[in-house]
Amino acid sequence: MACFGLTVVRHGETRYNKDKILQGQGVDEPLSHTGFRQADAAGVFLSNVEFTHVFSSDLLRAKQTAAIIIGKNRFCQDLEIKHDARLRERKYGVAEGRPLADLKAMAKAAGEQCPSFTPSGGETLNEVRERARDFFEFLCQLAVEAGQNKQVTHSAASNSLRRSEVQSVFPWADHCDEPELDSGNSGASKQLDANILVVSHGAYMRNWFVYFFSDLKCTLPTAFTKSQLSSVSPNTGVSHFVIKLDKENILKPEINCVCLNQDSHLVDVSAEFATSKMF
């Protein structure tokens, strides 16, 4: 049995996000001032998590966000960020660079509704989901190989002590059992074979998570409903999953969702933005 943690973060805000203009793959905007502040906040929130691998979309807004998050990390500042085109935002074809209202108007004229409508030159939801499925299966194989390597090169006691420190700060990132910790049962958990950070995009992430919940029967967090899956993650929203793999059939993972589109780290950023609007 292999087990890995997967933390998925949406990129920070761009001016196109703020103005509700579709970027897709054809508009490669940098982060806005607010986007940089959001990425900083996400980096601080995740600063005590020791990631083993980091992947980002190869679009600028995601690359900048990933670099800022890793730059804030206590353990992973030298970790290579691998940019992968499979993590790109959904392609919106002729609607890219145009207001979201235009996409909704196109859908209405075609007798369809967003987000299922596909504009000319765009990707269907199934095509996006296939990209996500392909990337996730790649991660599963990566985790299995990482577990095999870990058995060969067993960590020293000093390294185990460092991981214990990380676990105490951000406990669910290093647990393979139930996400809720029992402090009185220190023997109930095991180290992750890999702890992976992914930075991607709103529409892509929504489709990826639907694949998790609908196709792979991922468990939902407590008090979370499936209807909430239709919402797009806020900029730098954090989602975390713990994935158990049967090495004989890694295509049938057991997935537990610990949190989805969590944005508590943005409270100070939102407050700062609200204050700045007053002057």
Side-chain angles (χ1 to χ4, degrees):
M1 179 73 71
C3 180
F4 71 99
L6 174 62
T7 302
V8 186
V9 181
R10 186 186 176 194
H11 64 80
E13 180 196 84
T14 69
R15 64 187 179 98
Y16 274 51
N17 289 144
K18 182 179 179 181
D19 295 338
K20 299 186 184 306
I21 296 175
L22 289 167
Q23 295 168 101
Q25 299 181 11
V27 178
D28 203 12
E29 275 285 301
L31 298 179
S32 64
H33 172 72
T34 298
F36 280 109
R37 292 280 293 116
Q38 291 170 334
D40 278 339
V44 171
F45 178 66
L46 296 170
S47 62
N48 292 308
V49 184
E50 186 173 4
F51 294 108
T52 58
H53 304 79
V54 182
F55 295 92
S56 165
S57 158
D58 60 353
L59 296 176
L60 180 59
R61 53 197 184 273
K63 290 165 67 175
Q64 289 179 322
T65 302
I68 291 169
I69 291 174
I70 292 302
K72 296 282 183 181
N73 196 278
R74 290 175 59 195
F75 306 103
C76 310
Q77 292 185 6
D78 296 328
L79 194 60
E80 179 186 3
I81 301 172
K82 297 183 179 179
H83 304 121
D84 198 309
R86 288 174 293 184
L87 293 170
R88 287 181 179 181
E89 180 59 294
R90 181 185 181 187
K91 185 177 181 180
Y92 284 99
V94 297
E96 292 184 349
R98 297 172 64 174
L100 176 60
D102 285 5
L103 178 66
K104 292 180 177 179
M106 292 179 193
K108 184 176 181 180
E112 299 181 40
Q113 290 185 332
C114 293
S116 58
F117 171 70
T118 303
S120 177
E123 284 183 294
T124 66
L125 294 184
N126 284 338
E127 287 172 333
V128 177
R129 198 169 303 178
E130 178 62 21
R131 272 201 288 129
R133 182 197 62 78
D134 183 64
F135 181 75
F136 178 65
E137 291 180 0
F138 158 75
L139 293 185
C140 291
Q141 184 61 48
L142 182 70
V144 169
E145 293 172 358
Q148 293 170 343
N149 292 336
K150 184 178 290 185
Q151 290 176 4
V152 175
T153 57
H154 188 66
S155 59
S158 60
N159 187 51
S160 296
L161 179 63
R162 186 177 69 170
R163 285 185 177 276
S164 177
E165 179 188 358
V166 178
Q167 177 176 301
S168 68
V169 177
F170 203 18
W172 46 257
D174 277 320
H175 267 253
C176 286
D177 297 302
E178 294 300 321
E180 298 81 8
L181 293 180
D182 181 356
S183 59
N185 188 11
S186 60
S189 64
K190 65 185 286 292
Q191 296 277 319
L192 296 175
D193 293 309
N195 202 12
I196 301 171
L197 172 66
V198 171
V199 180
S200 188
H201 305 264
Y204 178 90
M205 289 167 55
R206 177 171 58 185
N207 280 278
W208 190 2
F209 297 163
V210 168
Y211 164 65
F212 275 1
F213 291 104
S214 298
D215 295 11
L216 299 181
K217 310 304 178 186
C218 173
T219 60
L220 286 161
T222 305
F224 198 88
T225 63
K226 286 190 176 182
S227 62
Q228 291 174 269
L229 288 174
S230 61
S231 62
V232 174
S233 171
N235 291 108
T236 68
V238 176
S239 297
H240 183 75
F241 304 86
V242 176
I243 297 126
K244 296 179 182 179
L245 302 167
D246 182 344
K247 294 180 181 179
E248 301 301 320
N249 188 359
I250 66 172
L251 299 184
K252 289 189 176 181
E254 177 186 328
I255 308 177
N256 294 303
C257 178
V258 180
C259 70
L260 195 73
N261 302 336
Q262 194 276 138
D263 62 353
S264 61
H265 56 286
L266 296 176
V267 172
D268 291 341
V269 177
S270 299
E272 178 185 280
F273 178 70
T275 301
S276 68
K277 290 174 66 177
M278 298 171 61
F279 299 97

